[in-house]
Amino acid sequence: MNRLLLAAYPKPYRSRQGEEVLACLSEAYPGRSWPPSREVAALVRAGVQARARAVVDDTARPWWLDGIHLAALALAALALVPYLQDVWHWALHIDPGRNAIAFPFSGWYPWAQGPGGRTRLLPYGVLPLGCLIALLRGRPWIALPAAAAMIWAGATSHGSTLFGDEGKAGLSYYGLGAPITARDLVLSGALCAACAVLALCRPSRLRRRSYRWLAPVVLAMFIAGSLHIIYVSPAFQRGLFVLEATALIAAWVATAATGDHRWLIPVAAVAIVRTQAIVVRPDAFMQSFPDLVVLILLIAPLPALAIAAQRRQGQALAE
């Protein structure tokens, strides 16, 4: 089990010092397959810092371009979240029946039509999913038309039958950790703008990530689709909040370790999209989260990350 902790470190570090780390853990905690939680947190933190330093040391691309790429990935994942169940059911030809996501189910074939629904050709979720896959592989010229189609689909949700009604409307709140649906054009517009910048700035310089990064997405689709966990359920939204909080902590650790500003860009992009959704629809909050608290939790990480970067840069100059 100790080898799982090494996954937090970059591959060169694992090849050089992986066996040494495992030997130290076995010596410090004999007979245990897993170290204490404090040691686990320290190892994961060190792994995130090592990965962040490896990213900063790679000078093949400017920091701002890498930051915009990360922001586009984060926005594509955020846009996909409400439609995990729908895409899974459509891909496997599963009729969710009463577990459809609070709208009339319109079927998975172009000619299928549920009671009260409209025929659709594709589920809306294939657009952010395709955009996410293209961005992972460093191909923004493929992601750009998908993001533009997201804007069109959200703006014509009442007049087009290409994507139908499924996954386009329904219950949601725009508070902390809440999914944002297709009708919020600020999200799709920001994603489209990020993809356009990436497509114009020599896409060959973008970082290409392995398809293995899609494993968490497939797992989330499986859980949402198989267990019929819809995005308006408390369990779904709490899980999303935990993931976003974890990503925010990782961004803070990386920024504090390197003094690099690239992780400010995705945090700022997500914060702006979420904040405007809260301001536009304050009545759609979950009542347990006061408006002011949600806004503070969204905006506060930005100056914290900037201060961490400046402090690290000051320490580097002093050394």
Side-chain angles (χ1 to χ4, degrees):
M1 295 295 291
N2 287 337
R3 290 188 176 275
L4 291 177
L5 294 175
L6 292 180
Y9 293 83
K11 187 175 181 180
Y13 184 95
R14 295 198 302 267
S15 60
R16 292 194 313 266
Q17 299 177 264
E19 294 301 326
E20 181 181 349
V21 172
L22 291 176
C24 291
L25 289 174
S26 299
E27 182 179 350
Y29 308 103
R32 295 187 58 165
S33 60
W34 195 259
S37 56
R38 182 178 299 180
E39 187 70 23
V40 170
L43 288 171
V44 172
R45 179 187 177 93
V48 173
Q49 291 175 338
R51 284 186 177 273
R53 294 190 185 98
V55 169
V56 173
D57 291 340
D58 184 3
T59 58
R61 59 197 61 82
W63 67 269
W64 58 267
L65 186 63
D66 208 18
I68 294 176
H69 193 186
L70 290 172
L73 286 168
L75 293 175
L78 187 64
L80 175 61
V81 162
Y83 309 104
L84 294 171
Q85 184 194 36
D86 187 30
V87 173
W88 181 264
H89 289 162
W90 172 81
L92 298 184
H93 296 183
I94 298 173
D95 186 347
R98 295 183 178 180
N99 294 295
I101 320 176
F103 347 90
F105 181 60
S106 56
W108 49 80
Y109 297 115
W111 56 85
Q113 185 172 3
R118 293 185 301 174
T119 302
R120 61 167 179 175
L121 179 63
L122 293 170
Y124 173 83
V126 300
L127 295 176
L129 177 60
C131 192
L132 179 64
I133 295 173
L135 289 169
L136 278 173
R137 299 301 295 165
R139 293 180 171 87
W141 61 89
I142 299 177
L144 180 58
M150 289 170 60
I151 298 176
W152 173 81
T156 60
S157 58
H158 294 292
S160 171
T161 59
L162 180 59
F163 298 98
D165 279 332
E166 186 75 8
K168 301 293 284 298
L171 302 175
S172 179
Y173 75 90
Y174 289 75
L176 184 64
I180 300 177
T181 55
R183 294 185 180 182
D184 192 313
L185 299 183
V186 173
L187 172 55
S188 52
L191 176 59
C192 188
C195 291
V197 172
L198 295 175
L200 293 173
C201 295
R202 293 179 59 187
S204 60
R205 302 167 67 186
L206 297 180
R207 193 183 307 276
R208 293 188 177 184
R209 294 167 173 83
S210 169
Y211 284 111
R212 289 178 294 181
W213 283 92
L214 288 174
V217 178
V218 176
L219 178 60
M221 286 185 180
F222 169 76
I223 294 174
S226 300
L227 302 181
H228 300 299
I229 302 177
I230 62 176
Y231 73 87
V232 296
S233 68
F236 192 106
Q237 297 191 2
R238 288 169 188 160
L240 178 59
F241 169 65
V242 170
L243 287 176
E244 291 186 350
T246 302
L248 186 60
I249 293 172
W252 180 83
V253 171
T255 302
T258 62
D260 194 89
H261 291 82
R262 76 186 66 207
W263 292 281
L264 274 170
I265 298 177
V267 173
V270 174
I272 291 171
V273 168
R274 284 207 174 282
T275 301
Q276 73 80 30
I278 292 171
V279 172
V280 171
R281 292 285 306 277
D283 58 317
F285 272 133
M286 178 177 280
Q287 297 301 318
S288 59
F289 288 110
D291 299 4
L292 182 60
V293 173
V294 174
L295 286 172
I296 291 175
L297 289 175
L298 284 172
I299 298 172
L302 295 176
L305 285 173
I307 292 171
Q310 291 299 118
R311 183 175 297 176
R312 178 60 183 173
Q313 289 179 356
Q315 292 176 351
L317 290 175
E319 293 173 358

